Amino acid sequence: MDNLTQTEKSTADTAEAEKDNAAAVLGKFKDVQTLMKAYSDLQAEFTRRSQRLSELEKENKAKPVPDGEKASPSQNDEERLIGAALSNERVKDAVIADYLKSVSAPKSVPLIVGGGGVAAPRVAPKSVKEAGRLAQEFLKK
């Protein structure tokens, strides 16, 4: 009889250990039924989103792209504004006048006009001795 009691006790311990192990595997779910319900809800949501994505892709394919260009809306807006500005003479003249004004305005006062440096008076040696002295002075500096 003692052997039978030990077997029942070890079976109960094994069942409890399996419950603890299953709880660890299920994570945040209380039991298998809760896990199955969450899985079926997730599957239904995935199906809905996949169908919606498919519909949006069909709509996108139905819209023709002009001349095969894939320009961003900002590029189209810029091109439209440039075209409108070039077609309006007043706007064109105003832009050109503003540009010429910014180009012709002096940015700063030039320090040296003409770009030439100030030259020292030319010293030409009159003898070999004087040329040697000038060379020594030049090499010392």
Side-chain angles (χ1 to χ4, degrees):
M1 198 112 104
D2 192 30
N3 202 11
L4 181 63
T5 310
Q6 279 184 339
T7 305
E8 287 176 6
K9 188 175 181 183
S10 68
T11 306
D13 289 342
T14 304
E16 190 173 313
E18 285 179 3
K19 274 187 177 179
D20 291 342
N21 193 17
V25 170
L26 294 177
K28 66 179 184 177
F29 301 102
K30 289 187 263 184
D31 54 5
V32 175
Q33 286 79 21
T34 310
L35 175 63
M36 288 302 296
K37 182 180 179 325
Y39 176 76
S40 59
D41 291 346
L42 181 64
Q43 189 175 22
E45 180 64 24
F46 178 76
T47 303
R48 280 193 295 274
R49 288 187 183 214
S50 295
Q51 289 171 348
R52 179 67 179 142
L53 177 64
S54 176
E55 290 172 10
L56 290 173
E57 285 176 345
K58 286 178 186 176
E59 288 176 16
N60 196 16
K61 286 181 181 177
K63 293 179 184 175
V65 177
D67 298 331
E69 294 177 12
K70 292 187 178 183
S72 66
S74 64
Q75 287 177 336
N76 289 336
D77 289 344
E78 276 184 18
E79 290 172 4
R80 184 179 54 79
L81 287 173
I82 290 171
L86 291 175
S87 65
N88 189 333
E89 288 299 320
R90 285 183 48 207
V91 173
K92 192 185 331 182
D93 291 341
V95 169
I96 292 172
D98 185 51
Y99 172 74
L100 291 175
K101 182 179 168 184
S102 68
V103 171
S104 65
K107 302 294 182 206
S108 64
V109 177
L111 298 176
I112 299 175
V113 179
V118 178
R122 184 162 184 225
V123 177
K126 295 181 176 123
S127 67
V128 174
K129 186 176 180 181
E130 198 174 314
R133 186 181 52 78
L134 286 173
Q136 283 180 349
E137 286 179 17
F138 177 74
L139 292 175
K140 285 181 184 179
K141 292 181 183 179

